[in-house]
Amino acid sequence: MKREKGLLIVLSGPSGVGKGTVCGALREQDTDIKYSVSATTRSPREGEVDGVNYFFKSKEEFERMIREGEMLEHAKYVNNYYGTPRTYVEEMINKGHDVILEIEVQGALQVKESFPEGVFIFLMPPSLHELRNRIEGRGTETGDLIDSRMTVAKEEIDLMDNYDYVVENDKVELAVERIKSIVTAENCKKDRLIHQYKQLAEE
Ligand code: 5GP
């Protein structure tokens, strides 16, 4: 049966934990999950493409989008704005597609206010030492920025209590399997289906 509404899946976790890699692998395996492209005021990293990795915006344009209610959520993260454009997410969910947002914790908390029925998953590194190694290994941030990201990471881990699931990203394939299992189980939750099946029974 075609679902009335898709799931809104929110994947958070400290910078460098591998959210992008895990989401990328998930998208390759599960082609029905739609991926929301965020907007940001940070500069593109080498290889990042506008409209694919992010919509890169000026501060003025981003603030206009906030003012005009075009953002489902937004947050300031290490001196830049990041936000989820609302239209794409709402359209996909209303068409019955599952949508995944890869966002930091402040934004996730805002989404929880407007979409309490969302599925909130926190991706954890095996250790903070490993997290620093991954950020350093990525080579896209320098000294001070790495320290800022590590400080934010600790604050984010403190807010894990707001999530429904914790997935360790020890190995990408394992993390992807765990997330797929969560999505499958959530799609079978009685509360999400009962309305549709009751209608079917009445027909
Ligand atoms: P990065 O600069 O490494 O691409 O992203 C920095 C942080 O911002 C990451 O934790 C990432 O998940 C988060 N982020 C990316 N897009 C969004 C968004 O649309 N909203 C919020 N709140 N955070 C985002």
Side-chain angles (χ1 to χ4, degrees), residues 11-16 19 37-40 42 45 48 54 73-75 77 82-85 102-108 138 141 149 156:
L11 185 69
S12 296
S15 169
K19 295 184 292 274
V37 178
S38 297
T40 183
R42 95 151 155 67
R45 294 181 184 136
E48 283 185 333
Y54 281 105
E73 60 74 34
H74 69 275
Y77 176 92
Y82 292 81
T84 306
E102 181 202 319
I103 63 180
E104 55 68 67
V105 177
Q106 296 308 319
R138 192 164 68 182
E141 271 83 22
R149 283 184 177 240
E156 294 199 313

Side-chain angles (χ1 to χ4, degrees), residues 13-48:
S15 169
V17 69
K19 295 184 292 274
T21 314
V22 168
C23 267
L26 187 65
R27 284 168 78 194
E28 276 175 17
Q29 291 185 25
D30 189 334
T31 47
D32 190 47
I33 295 189
K34 305 287 179 194
Y35 176 86
S36 157
V37 178
S38 297
T40 183
T41 56
R42 95 151 155 67
S43 313
R45 294 181 184 136
E46 207 177 307
E48 283 185 333

